Amino acid sequence: MKTASERYAALVRLVESRTVTRATPALLLPAGPYFDLAGEEFGRNLLLTTTNNGVEYCLRPDFTLPIAQQYLEDGLTGAPSAYTYLGPIFRQYQSTPVEFEQAGLELLGQADADNALDQVLTFARWALAIYDITAPSVRLGGVGLFEAFLEAAQIPVAWRSRIRHRFGHPEALERLMERLANPEERVEAPAPDSRDTVIEIVTDAMLSGGLSLIGSRTPEEIADRYLEKQALESAPIPPETVALLQNYLSVAESTETAFERISEMCKQAGFDFDEPLYQVRNHAAALAALSPNADVIFDASFSPRLDYYTGIVFEMTGSDGEVLASGGEYDRMLERLGAGEPVKASGCALWVDRLEREAEQ
């Protein structure tokens, strides 16, 4: 059995392969991009400091975002690049500052996105093998597959973004599904003719009520929210479509069984969904070949909480249920960071301390 130092040395060799560039982002990074990309929920886990001119910085909470930023700043948009990393990250855990060590791989601008994801899965399995973890539990999810399902099932456009934004947030999605399954009886007042009309009505109401027009919610924001609600109310989802959506989200079983179940439910609903399923099937098969002892399931409701993920996502857990590795395809991150053209991206992060604990059990 290898010692802890031998395992770590093997991980370093994996990270410093000749085919990749080992990245070492600064320990202190601007906090703004993390709030913009990951939102307040992730932001609460940051360890923050503020400069004299009011700019917020944070101790490095991950490697993916600064690597993606550097890729764009170096003018590499569209160029195939491979980065690895190994080092500390810093977050709050139960209101206590904690330092973790992470390793990972990021593949940006690869011509063959499917092959890039398979390389990411292979990297994760190699890393686990260093720690003698040969039979992890693996959960696959499909963000792009879910978006394709919403379109194929003819979910009204007005509802798609609302449902998608709750994907990966089980409690919020469950509340929305409950609302869709049990619509309230209501009589709505006629909607005003235009956005400008609504803004004027809201402005008059705020001023007559003594409210400031400069605050957390402007008349424009209130008007847009009102019009969105009107659009949703005017586009109800048929009960059978709600039931189909709930049935899809309930799928969480072995990959082949899961894909067959999804395929069959879609055919019964009157549409063929086998082509969108094809890509996920292939990656699941590649993962099974790579790690035949792993327990692999497809969970249709699984998604990271970060909405820049776009395709297949995964997490690998150990015997105690802790996540050892996670990742997937995240094309939207580069776009939201200002890339002038679409950039394919996939990667994974591994929790080194957890890997070591699993190896010692």
Side-chain angles (χ1 to χ4, degrees):
M1 181 177 177
K2 297 188 291 290
T3 65
S5 59
E6 289 171 334
R7 288 190 288 265
Y8 192 81
L11 184 61
V12 171
R13 289 194 295 272
L14 177 62
V15 167
E16 294 184 346
S17 165
R18 295 180 182 179
T19 61
V20 296
T21 299
R22 182 171 176 178
T24 54
L27 287 176
L28 198 61
L29 299 165
Y34 285 101
F35 285 107
D36 293 341
L37 279 174
E40 293 294 331
E41 183 177 3
F42 184 83
R44 286 193 291 270
N45 296 323
L46 301 180
L47 297 175
L48 299 166
T49 185
T50 305
T51 62
N52 290 336
N53 61 356
V55 178
E56 280 192 312
Y57 284 80
C58 61
L59 282 174
R60 183 176 64 207
D62 86 331
F63 283 85
T64 304
L65 190 148
I67 287 174
Q69 283 183 312
Q70 193 63 53
Y71 171 82
L72 296 178
E73 290 171 7
D74 289 343
L76 296 175
T77 303
S81 301
Y83 303 92
T84 53
Y85 57 86
L86 175 60
I89 63 167
F90 306 87
R91 298 182 187 178
Q92 290 192 59
Y93 180 70
Q94 296 181 346
S95 301
T96 302
V98 180
E99 176 182 335
F100 303 97
E101 189 159 25
Q102 275 195 345
L105 170 69
E106 310 294 345
L107 298 179
L108 307 177
Q110 303 293 316
D112 188 337
D114 287 336
N115 181 60
L117 180 60
D118 285 338
Q119 290 183 53
V120 168
L121 292 168
T122 300
F123 178 89
R125 286 298 299 121
W126 283 348
L128 267 63
I130 289 172
Y131 291 83
D132 299 316
I133 304 167
T134 58
S137 296
V138 183
R139 181 163 65 149
L140 294 176
V143 177
L145 188 70
F146 182 62
E147 292 172 353
F149 180 83
L150 294 177
E151 181 176 355
Q154 297 184 338
I155 302 295
V157 174
W159 280 102
R160 286 181 202 169
S161 63
R162 174 161 289 207
I163 295 171
R164 170 63 185 90
H165 289 157
R166 285 158 178 75
F167 191 51
H169 300 262
E171 299 85 2
L173 185 58
E174 184 177 354
R175 288 195 300 270
L176 182 58
M177 289 298 99
E178 180 67 21
R179 174 186 170 188
L180 292 175
N182 300 283
E184 299 175 359
E185 294 289 338
R186 59 170 64 88
V187 177
E188 297 290 344
D193 294 335
S194 69
R195 179 175 182 270
D196 290 341
T197 302
V198 179
I199 292 172
E200 288 303 313
I201 293 172
V202 171
T203 300
D204 289 343
M206 291 177 69
L207 291 174
S208 63
L211 300 176
S212 172
L213 299 181
I214 303 174
S216 58
R217 298 188 68 191
T218 66
E220 289 78 9
E221 290 170 333
I222 296 172
D224 288 341
R225 178 67 186 89
Y226 173 81
L227 291 172
E228 178 195 25
K229 182 178 179 182
Q230 292 292 315
L232 295 175
E233 296 294 346
S234 66
I237 303 177
E240 60 273 17
T241 305
V242 175
L244 175 64
L245 181 56
Q246 291 175 313
N247 197 15
Y248 175 88
L249 291 169
S250 72
V251 173
E253 49 207 285
S254 65
T255 52
E256 199 54 41
T257 302
F259 299 144
E260 288 303 323
R261 181 178 161 191
I262 292 171
S263 175
E264 184 59 29
M265 74 171 69
C266 291
K267 288 176 182 175
Q268 290 181 2
F271 61 93
D272 189 332
F273 201 58
D274 286 348
E275 185 174 346
L277 282 171
Y278 178 77
Q279 181 190 33
V280 191
R281 283 183 186 271
N282 282 350
H283 289 295
L287 182 59
L290 178 69
S291 184
N293 295 324
D295 177 21
V296 185
I297 69 165
F298 178 78
D299 183 345
S301 67
F302 168 54
S303 170
R305 289 179 177 266
L306 304 172
D307 68 1
Y308 50 71
Y309 281 92
T310 52
I312 296 170
V313 292
F314 70 92
E315 63 180 20
M316 300 177 177
T317 58
S319 56
D320 59 1
E322 275 197 311
V323 176
L324 305 175
S326 62
E329 297 172 301
Y330 58 93
D331 301 355
R332 286 195 192 98
M333 176 184 281
L334 281 297
E335 177 184 342
R336 292 180 61 180
L337 287 174
E341 61 186 70
V343 179
K344 297 293 183 181
S346 58
C348 68
L350 301 114
W351 299 84
V352 179
D353 296 340
R354 298 176 187 176
L355 290 170
E356 186 58 43
R357 286 198 298 269
E358 187 75 10
E360 291 291 343
Q361 291 182 3

